[in-house]
Amino acid sequence: MAEANHDFDQWRQAYHLMPKRGWLNDPNGAVYFKGTYHVYHQYVPDNPKGGATHWGHKTSKDLVHFKEEPVFLSPGKCFDKDGVYSGGAMKLGDQIHFFYTGNVKKEGDYDYLYNGRDQNVVHVVSSDGYSIDQRHVVIPHEDFPPGFTNHIRDPKVFQHGNLFYMILGGRKLDNTGAILLFESEDLDHWDYKGNLLEGNEDQGYMWEAPDLVEFGDQAVLLFSPQGIRANHNSFLNPHSAGYLVGRMDWDSLQFIPKGPIKELDQGFDFYAPHTFDDGHRTIMWAWMGVSDSSPEYIYPTVNRGWQHCLTMPRLLELKGDRLLQKPLQEYENIRTNRLEIQNTKKIAYGDIVGHSYEFDLDFVDQPSHFTLDLLEDTRLAYKEGTLTLNHGPSGYGRRSRQLDLDSISHLQIFVDHSSLEIFVNHGEAVFSSRVFPGTKENKMVFDSDTAANLLYWVLELSEWWGK
């Protein structure tokens, strides 16, 4: 394995969560417990190319400054020897209850899709989020219903009334996706209650990482439909994440969608979103990466001993039939070096201050076109109702992603050494992308037919935890 030497690594990030070395993917088990935020994630500490996953663990008091904790879960039991796969957490009284998929691959001549693989649901109880009090299988693989391949995983558990419910993503034998639903009175004994929702052949062959969030009498179902068919400018990545707005019918235990699947993020690098409630809001993390992107685009940090990061945590709000994603206000606390330019159509900085920054563009009137050049060779352009993100060579194969808009009024952009998150119209859409610029150029050039007001801040942590 390549050693993770961070002394001269310009792609290490300031405020995005990443591994000090090795591989990171899906966020797991996020919870706010006794005054501390915990986020766990898929983690392979000794190989930046992946392998049998553990649960890495990071904690924070404010969702901005994080501390690296010891690995929380590792494979090695008979029920998870080939990986502690993704799952969720729920707080109940003075304990946290975690559920994950224990992956087991049998030795022999198997395809591991239709045979040879067990995916067990494992229940972990912790009194503090750091130590394990109990760990046992609650749904063994053989208890899953017929009609599915060996791919059923990613439990997320929640409470409704006096009962507990678990949703799992699955791949059916006809190669369509589905979300399974189980019910329990005690979190240990689970009964299959049918499928919360099933897809068709255009909606992917496997639905991963399901999540359900209720907003009053409406509900949002989030999931990652592998193999969903591309639709114009949507679902262009090798694997994508989407959501449905609808409602839960608790009598029939069905999710009733009221529209089509919408893509959660228009960028190159976004997968496996994961939510939690901290008592007064719903917050979402996602893996800022995708699998199977090579050879189209790659992640060059693997040669430096580490790979991948999480997105910034985002506030979720439902507005009509649209899920809004917004940066958390906590990030305003690390703003420094404020720059303000009012009512301008042109800005040209050949070498701006900082490699971790935020800037806000508020258009005075609706533009018909503009360009915004960033970093080394990244361009955000708007013309005739289409917003386009383009990368040059620093995208390492990432080329173009587009979004059709009725209008554009506001952009909030976060840059962090090798990541870019663009929030459009106060969270109506987001582009998330990794980008790996060299050290020669760090520009910001804006040219528009309509004036805009600009605010810019360097985002600076007191300690660069990732180093």
Side-chain angles (χ1 to χ4, degrees):
M1 186 198 80
E3 284 297 318
N5 183 352
H6 305 322
D7 290 342
F8 303 103
D9 189 347
Q10 77 272 24
W11 297 330
R12 296 294 292 176
Q13 301 190 78
Y15 55 88
H16 283 78
L17 300 183
M18 59 190 166
K20 291 191 175 182
R21 63 185 181 95
W23 163 282
L24 171 151
N25 60 299
D26 306 3
N28 299 148
V31 66
Y32 182 64
F33 187 67
K34 296 183 179 179
T36 298
Y37 291 95
H38 298 257
V39 60
Y40 307 82
H41 57 82
Q42 294 287 279
Y43 180 43
V44 183
D46 58 356
N47 191 341
K49 296 181 180 180
T53 51
H54 307 240
W55 272 28
H57 182 199
K58 297 170 175 60
T59 59
S60 175
K61 295 294 185 180
D62 62 3
L63 287 170
V64 178
H65 300 83
F66 280 85
K67 178 184 178 183
E68 187 80 35
E69 302 289 354
V71 169
F72 182 60
L73 293 167
S74 293
K77 306 289 186 182
C78 62
F79 49 75
D80 65 10
K81 69 181 185 68
D82 295 301
V84 177
Y85 278 15
S86 290
M90 68 172 296
K91 180 174 62 175
L92 191 65
D94 290 328
Q95 295 178 318
I96 308 173
H97 294 262
F98 300 91
F99 295 84
Y100 71 87
T101 294
N103 187 52
V104 176
K105 298 177 75 172
K106 301 175 183 177
E107 294 185 6
D109 184 18
Y110 297 112
D111 58 37
Y112 301 112
L113 173 60
Y114 297 102
N115 54 57
R117 182 192 298 267
D118 287 348
Q119 298 207 304
N120 308 293
V121 177
V122 183
H123 181 193
V124 172
V125 181
S126 175
S127 58
D128 56 13
Y130 303 92
S131 58
I132 297 171
D133 301 326
Q134 301 177 41
R135 182 177 182 178
H136 54 276
V137 174
V138 291
I139 306 178
H141 184 83
E142 58 267 23
D143 285 358
F144 286 134
F148 284 85
T149 67
N150 285 178
H151 288 245
I152 298 175
R153 55 180 172 265
D154 307 337
K156 187 73 185 291
V157 173
F158 51 92
Q159 186 172 8
H160 180 75
N162 295 321
L163 296 172
F164 302 101
Y165 292 92
M166 177 191 297
I167 52 178
L168 292 135
R171 177 173 180 168
K172 297 171 64 180
L173 291 174
D174 64 359
N175 294 309
T176 58
I179 296 175
L180 297 79
L181 181 70
F182 286 77
E183 183 183 82
S184 175
E185 295 181 355
D186 60 6
L187 295 175
D188 274 334
H189 302 86
W190 293 90
D191 297 318
Y192 174 61
K193 292 296 181 178
N195 296 333
L196 186 77
L197 189 68
E198 298 181 1
N200 59 44
E201 63 179 14
D202 291 332
Q203 296 172 330
Y205 57 80
M206 168 73 191
W207 286 3
E208 288 195 305
D211 205 337
L212 183 70
V213 183
E214 291 193 275
F215 294 91
D217 58 358
Q218 294 194 88
V220 175
L221 184 64
L222 302 93
F223 56 104
S224 296
Q226 293 185 329
I228 190 170
R229 293 191 191 278
N231 179 16
H232 187 44
N233 289 328
S234 296
F235 301 109
L236 300 180
N237 294 341
H239 301 300
S240 302
Y243 71 96
L244 286 161
V245 177
R247 64 179 179 85
M248 270 299 301
D249 185 332
W250 290 104
D251 294 326
S252 65
L253 296 179
Q254 297 278 302
F255 179 83
I256 312 298
K258 66 175 186 179
I261 301 173
K262 297 179 180 178
E263 191 167 23
L264 262 170
D265 192 290
Q266 300 296 130
F268 295 89
D269 300 279
F270 184 95
Y271 195 71
H274 180 81
T275 74
F276 74 106
D277 189 311
D278 71 353
H280 63 279
R281 56 187 174 172
T282 299
I283 298 170
M284 179 187 74
W285 266 290
W287 172 26
M288 204 168 178
V290 293
S291 57
D292 303 322
S293 65
S294 179
E296 181 186 356
Y297 55 93
I298 63 172
Y299 300 86
T301 62
V302 68
N303 298 319
R304 302 182 179 189
W306 66 280
Q307 189 172 191
H308 297 310
C309 65
L310 299 184
T311 64
M312 297 171 64
R314 301 175 184 176
L315 173 69
L316 296 187
E317 296 176 347
L318 187 63
K319 182 180 179 181
D321 62 354
R322 186 184 295 274
L323 188 65
L324 303 183
Q325 305 172 60
K326 300 179 179 181
L328 298 185
Q329 288 186 345
E330 282 88 338
Y331 283 83
E332 297 175 7
N333 296 327
I334 59 171
R335 290 171 171 171
T336 64
N337 298 82
R338 174 188 166 108
L339 170 68
E340 181 174 358
I341 302 174
Q342 292 287 331
N343 203 38
T344 183
K345 294 183 180 181
K346 295 181 183 294
I347 301 169
Y349 288 94
D351 188 16
I352 64 172
V353 175
H355 294 275
S356 297
Y357 58 86
E358 170 194 353
F359 70 91
D360 183 293
L361 272 175
D362 190 15
F363 290 95
V364 175
D365 295 304
Q366 168 65 29
S368 63
H369 62 84
F370 70 78
T371 58
L372 176 62
D373 294 328
L374 295 170
L375 302 170
E376 189 173 78
D377 50 26
T378 292
R379 168 166 283 193
L380 189 67
Y382 178 77
K383 185 177 181 180
E384 297 176 353
T386 300
L387 184 63
T388 302
L389 173 65
N390 278 310
H391 293 302
S394 69
Y396 279 78
R398 295 162 180 81
R399 291 173 290 176
S400 177
R401 290 289 183 266
Q402 294 185 316
L403 172 67
D404 294 329
L405 291 168
D406 294 330
S407 64
I408 187 165
S409 60
H410 184 261
L411 293 171
Q412 189 175 9
I413 300 176
F414 291 82
V415 173
D416 190 3
H417 291 263
S418 62
S419 67
L420 177 66
E421 294 183 62
I422 303 168
F423 295 82
V424 182
N425 290 345
H426 302 284
E428 290 184 358
V430 188
F431 290 83
S432 297
S433 181
R434 300 300 304 282
V435 60
F436 304 93
T439 57
K440 294 182 179 179
E441 195 169 17
N442 187 24
K443 65 188 172 188
M444 181 171 66
V445 180
F446 173 67
D447 189 352
S448 174
D449 69 330
T450 298
N453 299 318
L454 166 74
L455 286 169
Y456 168 90
W457 300 268
V458 174
L459 298 183
E460 188 173 277
L461 294 179
S462 58
E463 180 180 352
W464 190 0
W465 77 272
K467 187 171 181 179

